[in-house]
Amino acid sequence: MNVREGDAQARSTAEAVARRSYGKLVAFLAARTRDVAAAEDALSEAFASALADWPTKGCPSNPEGWLLTVARRKVIDMYRGRRRAEIASERIQIMAEGLDAAAADADIPDQRLALMFACAHPAIDPSIRAPLILQAVLGLDAKTIASAFLMSPAAMSKRLVRAKDKIRQAGVPFTVPEREELPHRLDTVLDAIYAAFAEGWTDPGGTDLARRDLAEEAIFLSRVVTELLPSEPEALGLLALLLHAEARRPARRNPNGDYVPLVEQDPALWDHQLIDEAEAALNRASAMGAIGRYQLEGALQSAHVHRCRTGQANWAEVVQLYDALFAIVGSPVVAINRALAIAELHGASAALESMQAVAADERVAEYQPYWAARAELLAKAGAHDEARQAYEIAVGLERDPAVRRFLQQRQSALNP
Amino acid sequence: MQYLLMLYANETGWSNLTKAQQEQGMAAYTAYTEALKKAGVWKGSNRLQPINSATTVRVADGKSQVLDGPYIETKEQIGGYYLIDVPDLDSAISWAARCPSASHGVVEVRPVWAMQASSAAPAS
């Protein structure tokens, strides 16, 4: 094998390990020191060493163990270099324990879940939890995450550093919470994964690579959680929700790149394998007999898919699901979607009436879906002047040019 | 804090659009401006004439030099701006992302240098 072939092989092995094991290695390295930043730095140096070493000496039989051993040595060097007295020596000792054992043992314990619980700990600012998980578990860089979350890369890096400092300084535990605490704490992890997916979702065309990847990464994380916590119905509910949404991605744009609303989508373009997987997850969840937010959202997706596939209206069931969801979440977002379902069942006026409480909530003033829903309902109710104004605001608040065009077309279809 | 959103785009892109597309484009800007005003963050905005109308002026060694054309020739040129007043950079970025220019060009977000009223005017 020549150098170039060795180089290519080393690179592809390193990439495969990075994809499969990055979070596992960070979790294992940081679990006892709680120093996520040091674990990440050491691991990235270990990957650099691998790329220098493997092409000439060949890939090790246990690349994961090789990387872990090198990374642990780097962490020890780092702490020695800092010479931070007793803290350093304590961490060095923790790191040194089982250093050789790790290299020999092919089975590195999977502590990714504990890492996710640390990242989504109540002591961590909720808005940074999803970015933190994406970085610590998947190794995404701050720049990629910042673009997806519409933040400046500098500000995102700073906030990630601060969050990692907090984990270390405040002693946030790297553990999966006990039974009685689990459901509540799991919610924060699921919320963070959902936030990551939602950011990826804002690019339904899938043209923005950073965004599309984020949706895929969120599904990957969601699968990891269901594998490690197989009897948590909400984790399955979230997976079902994400898979359903992802399954319809190919149908959300026509060949001209125009936005296609759900009612006009061609079910033949949906990914039926993903839908089947989503349905199976939902069934498993419902057998566990503890309803929750994500299962309800998953069930709503399932109901929409069923209606579109069979042509049988199921709006009464949909409204019921939204009622249950609203009782749990109570967010204006749910009330808006519920209103659209009420319109199908009882007409636009009833739907507008149901949105009155939402209209008073000042958070919706800059929330595009509220104005788009309101415009549609007003148009249906025949209040074309008001509908025109609402469309105008919805267009002004939209960031996706295809949706903007769609709303403009709806607006110009109104009676003059 | 005030931020200037500078809208950069390729001018030929606009002239290549059909009339209907141009109208739709203009309507999107109107809606965006309205949304900024409704949110109470709009401070000012203007669309600029095309770059072939630009003139560059420089005074060096006491001699003025006037050149026809923009300062820098680039494919994408500044075509307008919005001045907005929002709490922080994140909020400015989220407004920039909603600007139609962000989809067909680039929006540069620059914080305005805040000056004390007393020091704003040069000493005479």
Side-chain angles (χ1 to χ4, degrees):
Chain A
M1 186 162 59
N2 62 37
V3 173
R4 182 166 292 179
E5 274 171 23
D7 208 41
Q9 201 195 344
R11 198 165 288 277
S12 78
T13 308
E15 272 165 15
V17 179
R19 169 84 197 164
R20 202 179 54 235
S21 322
Y22 184 90
K24 227 170 119 181
L25 293 170
V26 169
F28 189 72
L29 286 165
R32 281 181 295 175
T33 60
R34 292 176 185 150
D35 196 338
V36 177
E40 288 171 338
D41 289 348
L43 196 54
S44 79
E45 283 186 38
F47 273 108
S49 304
L51 289 177
D53 206 65
W54 297 356
T56 49
K57 296 183 190 156
C59 296
S61 59
N62 173 11
E64 227 177 51
W66 190 98
L67 285 162
L68 184 61
T69 309
V70 174
R72 291 183 124 198
R73 294 220 170 89
K74 303 260 183 210
V75 174
I76 292 171
D77 289 349
M78 258 184 246
Y79 287 135
R80 281 207 180 111
R82 281 188 215 157
R83 291 188 188 285
R84 291 245 314 273
E86 69 284 358
I87 311 170
S89 69
E90 185 194 332
R91 290 205 191 134
I92 289 169
Q93 201 180 350
I94 291 174
M95 271 292 144
E97 275 170 27
L99 180 60
D100 302 320
D105 187 358
D107 233 10
I108 299 164
D110 194 342
Q111 291 169 312
R112 277 178 297 181
L113 201 54
L115 178 60
M116 281 192 245
F117 274 106
C119 292
H121 192 276
I124 304 295
D125 173 9
S127 64
I128 199 70
R129 289 174 192 164
L132 194 55
I133 288 180
L134 289 167
Q135 179 153 78
V137 182
L138 299 171
L140 299 189
D141 63 13
K143 215 172 97 197
T144 307
I145 301 171
S147 292
F149 282 81
L150 274 184
M151 268 177 70
S152 84
M156 179 59 87
S157 304
K158 222 184 275 171
R159 293 182 60 194
L160 285 167
V161 168
R162 210 182 301 146
K164 287 174 207 166
D165 284 348
K166 174 90 186 239
I167 289 180
R168 185 167 46 81
Q169 286 161 354
V172 169
F174 276 61
T175 47
V176 176
E178 296 297 328
R179 192 83 237 150
E180 59 270 25
E181 244 193 303
L182 187 59
H184 169 68
R185 290 284 313 280
L186 181 61
D187 280 351
T188 63
V189 172
L190 300 180
D191 289 350
I193 294 173
Y194 186 52
F197 182 85
E199 289 303 333
W201 187 238
T202 55
D203 176 46
T207 44
D208 183 338
L209 272 180
R211 288 239 166 86
R212 191 183 59 197
D213 283 353
L214 223 51
E216 282 171 18
E217 302 293 13
I219 290 175
F220 175 80
L221 288 171
S222 179
R223 282 191 211 277
V224 169
V225 175
T226 56
E227 276 160 28
L228 298 174
L229 287 175
S231 45
E232 284 302 323
E234 277 296 271
L236 288 164
L238 175 66
L239 181 61
L241 167 63
L242 303 190
L243 291 173
H244 263 307
E246 188 67 16
R248 298 201 303 268
R249 184 186 292 277
R252 294 186 85 220
R253 288 285 182 277
N254 69 15
N256 298 328
D258 290 330
Y259 170 74
V260 185
L262 179 61
V263 283
E264 288 163 29
Q265 284 176 16
D266 176 4
L269 295 173
W270 294 345
D271 185 328
H272 296 277
Q273 214 175 329
L274 287 184
I275 292 176
D276 290 346
E277 197 190 337
E279 293 293 292
L282 265 187
N283 286 339
R284 266 170 64 203
S286 65
M288 295 170 192
I291 200 72
R293 177 206 166 165
Y294 289 114
Q295 290 170 79
L296 286 167
E297 295 213 32
L300 275 160
Q301 296 290 326
S302 171
H304 290 316
V305 164
H306 184 74
R307 185 183 61 252
C308 294
R309 271 176 168 176
T310 61
Q312 286 171 350
N314 55 357
W315 293 107
E317 182 197 338
V318 168
V319 171
Q320 231 171 28
L321 285 168
Y322 276 124
D323 284 341
L325 185 59
F326 189 74
I328 296 177
V329 186
S331 92
V333 182
V334 178
I336 293 162
N337 288 319
R338 179 161 142 259
L340 291 172
I342 288 175
E344 300 289 339
L345 204 59
H346 303 298
S349 312
L352 283 164
E353 211 164 291
S354 80
M355 279 216 303
Q356 266 174 2
V358 179
D361 189 325
E362 61 182 32
R363 281 177 295 176
V364 301
E366 289 175 31
Y367 187 61
Q368 189 273 352
Y370 166 73
W371 293 102
R374 189 175 154 76
E376 183 145 346
L377 294 172
L378 286 165
K380 266 190 193 154
H384 287 201
D385 279 342
E386 279 182 88
R388 206 184 324 277
Q389 286 169 21
Y391 273 125
E392 184 79 2
I393 298 171
V395 170
L397 291 173
E398 179 54 53
R399 154 174 137 187
D400 184 330
V403 176
R404 208 184 281 140
R405 283 199 302 276
F406 170 79
L407 293 167
Q408 284 182 315
Q409 278 157 13
R410 289 273 164 124
Q411 188 188 27
S412 55
L414 294 169
N415 292 339
Chain B
M1 256 182 99
Q2 292 200 356
Y3 292 85
L4 188 67
L5 310 185
M6 292 181 276
L7 283 43
Y8 289 86
N10 187 340
E11 280 180 5
T12 55
W14 178 260
S15 44
N16 288 341
L17 295 179
T18 65
K19 190 149 181 298
Q21 283 171 324
Q22 285 190 353
E23 275 169 14
Q24 200 176 46
M26 283 307 296
Y29 279 99
T30 311
Y32 176 65
T33 310
E34 272 314 301
L36 286 167
K37 287 181 178 169
K38 269 238 155 61
V41 300
W42 181 89
K43 286 284 154 198
S45 56
N46 272 304
R47 183 181 181 186
L48 303 179
Q49 294 283 352
I51 42 154
N52 59 24
S53 67
T55 311
T56 317
V57 182
R58 180 203 309 263
V59 179
D61 299 330
K63 276 189 216 151
S64 59
Q65 203 183 22
V66 180
L67 291 171
D68 186 26
Y71 174 44
I72 303 170
E73 293 275 5
T74 48
K75 208 168 85 210
E76 280 160 336
Q77 290 286 347
I78 188 162
Y81 70 86
Y82 283 89
L83 182 64
I84 61 173
D85 194 348
V86 292
D88 55 28
L89 178 63
D90 290 353
S91 166
I93 292 174
S94 78
W95 279 110
R98 287 162 168 165
C99 178
S101 305
S103 319
H104 62 81
V106 170
V107 177
E108 184 176 324
V109 180
R110 287 276 289 272
V112 170
W113 197 305
M115 300 232 201
Q116 302 290 329
S118 55
S119 64
S124 54

